[in-house]
Amino acid sequence: MNRPKETSSAPAGDPTFARGTIEYRRLFGVAYRMLGSIHDTEDALQEGLARWAGLAPEQRSAIREPVAWLTRVISRICLDELGTARARREGYHGIWLPEPLLDATTMPAPGRPLNMDPADAISLDESVSMALLIAMEHLTPPERVSLILHDVFQVSFAEIAVIVGRQPDACRQLASTARRNIRSHRRFEVQGDERNRVVDAFARACLDGDISALAGVLDPNVIARADGGSAITVARRPITGAPHVAQYLLGVLNRQQQLRHSLEILPTFINGRSGLVIYEGLKTVGIIDLSIYNGHVAEIAIIVNPDKIAQISRH
C-alpha cells in the first residue's frame, strides 16, 4: 500500500467509524493483528471505510451489521496485503519486527462468546503481544486471517470462508494448523506483578551496566531480535544465550551513551503490557518489548527503526 497515511479515517458525514469509537477500535484491532504495522493498518481501514462511504444510501441501509460488513471487507484487504508484505519483509534490511503499539484503546473486548475451550484459543490479550505477532509471521496469510478472526474476534468459519475464498471446513483446518504452530512456541506471561518485577530488574541492570545482574534476569536460552531498518545498524540475526545477549545489550547501550550522553530507560506500556522506552531528551530512540517465561526474560524485541517509533513522543 503506497497511499499517504491518513489519520482521520471516518467518511465525511458518518461519525460511526470516527477514530476513538468502539467500532473504529474493533476494526483497527482486527487489521493490526493481521498486519503488525500501524501504517498498513490505517491504510487498510482508510480503504475499507472509503468503500463503505462509496455505497449508495439505500445500500448502506440494507446492511444490518455495518461493523461485520467492514470486518469482512477490511480482512480481505489485509489478506491481499499480507501476500505482498511477505515479499517485502523477505527483502527487509535485517530483522523485521512488528510496529509497536502504545495505545491500549485499540484493543477492544471481543463480541460473541467463543464456542471452544478458552485454553485452546488465542486470547484477546495474548493476540496483540509482540511475541505472538512475531510468531504469526511464520503462518500463511489464510492461516493468520482464519486464526485471528475466529479465535480473537469470534467470527464464524462460514463468514471466514467468504473472506478467504475457501470452504468453512477448510477454514477450520487453517485455524487449527495455525493454532498448533503457535502452540509449539512457549506461552509467555503477559500481565501481572511478576512480569513487572522482571521488567524492572532488567531495566535496572541495563542502567547500572551490571552484566551479571542482567544475565541473571535472562532465560539461559533467551533470544534477542533488533529492528533498525536501513537507518540504524543493529545485529542482523537473532542473538541467543544469556551471556551473549547481556554482553550485546550492554555494548549497544554503552556505545549509545557515549554518542548521546543523555539516554534514559523508562517503563511504558507496549501492546498492552509493561515494557521499556529509551529516550534521548524528548526524543524516542528505542522501544524494548520483553517476553517473560518462568520469571525470566525469554525473548527481547528491540525496535530502533525511526520509521516505526517516530509516532511515539515523550510527554
Side-chain angles (χ1 to χ4, degrees):
M1 297 184 182
N2 296 316
R3 295 180 307 281
K5 183 166 77 172
E6 186 161 318
T7 56
S8 180
S9 302
D14 187 351
T16 305
F17 302 106
R19 178 179 293 275
T21 62
I22 293 174
E23 293 80 5
Y24 181 90
R25 287 158 51 195
R26 178 182 172 90
L27 296 172
F28 187 102
V30 170
Y32 176 75
R33 286 166 173 84
M34 291 183 186
L35 300 175
S37 161
I38 296 172
H39 183 279
D40 289 346
T41 291
E42 292 187 334
D43 274 352
L45 264 65
Q46 181 181 336
E47 184 172 334
L49 290 168
R51 294 184 190 181
W52 171 257
L55 296 175
E58 60 271 19
Q59 290 175 307
R60 285 203 295 274
S61 64
I63 296 172
R64 290 187 296 176
E65 296 185 45
V67 172
W69 185 89
L70 275 164
T71 296
R72 288 194 296 271
V73 169
I74 290 170
S75 295
R76 183 67 220 185
I77 293 169
C78 290
L79 182 66
D80 293 340
E81 172 62 12
L82 281 170
T84 59
R86 172 163 292 190
R88 290 200 310 272
R89 291 168 188 177
E90 286 175 354
Y92 191 77
H93 188 89
I95 299 172
W96 185 92
L97 292 176
E99 191 173 351
L101 182 65
L102 272 65
D103 182 4
T105 64
T106 54
M107 292 176 281
R112 302 185 297 274
L114 187 63
N115 187 25
M116 67 181 298
D117 186 347
D120 293 332
I122 302 299
S123 70
L124 181 84
D125 183 65
E126 184 184 14
S127 69
V128 79
S129 72
M130 292 287 286
L132 193 66
L133 291 174
I134 292 169
M136 285 196 292
E137 286 296 305
H138 299 289
L139 304 179
T140 67
E143 287 173 348
R144 186 165 181 167
V145 170
S146 299
L147 178 72
I148 291 168
L149 287 179
H150 180 260
D151 280 24
V152 182
F153 291 97
Q154 292 80 61
V155 178
S156 71
F157 286 119
E159 295 173 88
I160 295 170
V162 175
I163 295 166
V164 302
R166 305 194 187 188
Q167 294 298 314
D169 284 347
C171 295
R172 180 179 283 102
Q173 184 58 47
L174 286 170
S176 178
T177 300
R179 202 177 298 119
R180 191 163 54 248
N181 185 305
I182 294 299
R183 290 296 179 234
S184 68
H185 297 77
R186 284 187 290 191
R187 298 189 73 170
F188 299 113
E189 301 159 17
V190 293
Q191 299 287 8
D193 292 340
E194 177 66 8
R195 174 185 173 82
N196 296 337
R197 182 194 67 77
V198 175
V199 172
D200 289 344
F202 176 92
R204 199 161 49 246
C206 286
L207 287 170
D208 293 343
D210 188 334
I211 193 167
S212 296
L214 182 55
V217 81
L218 301 178
D219 184 272
N221 299 311
V222 62
I223 301 173
R225 302 177 179 90
D227 179 347
S230 59
I232 306 295
T233 301
V234 293
R236 298 189 63 180
R237 295 183 179 180
I239 309 296
T240 59
H244 296 106
V245 169
Q247 187 174 27
Y248 170 70
L249 289 175
L250 292 185
V252 170
L253 286 171
N254 286 337
R255 286 196 299 273
Q256 294 302 313
Q257 288 282 16
Q258 292 168 7
L259 290 171
R260 303 174 188 271
H261 305 294
S262 59
L263 289 185
E264 294 180 86
I265 302 177
L266 298 176
T268 190
F269 280 93
I270 302 169
N271 289 46
R273 68 217 72 244
S274 52
L276 301 166
V277 60
I278 306 174
Y279 291 112
E280 179 193 8
L282 298 178
K283 180 182 178 183
T284 302
V285 295
I287 294 289
I288 302 176
D289 179 86
L290 304 174
S291 298
I292 312 300
Y293 179 76
N294 282 347
H296 290 82
V297 176
E299 291 190 8
I300 305 170
I302 307 165
I303 301 97
V304 291
N305 182 345
D307 292 337
K308 294 186 177 182
I309 58 176
Q311 84 281 5
I312 302 166
S313 60
R314 186 172 188 175
H315 300 291

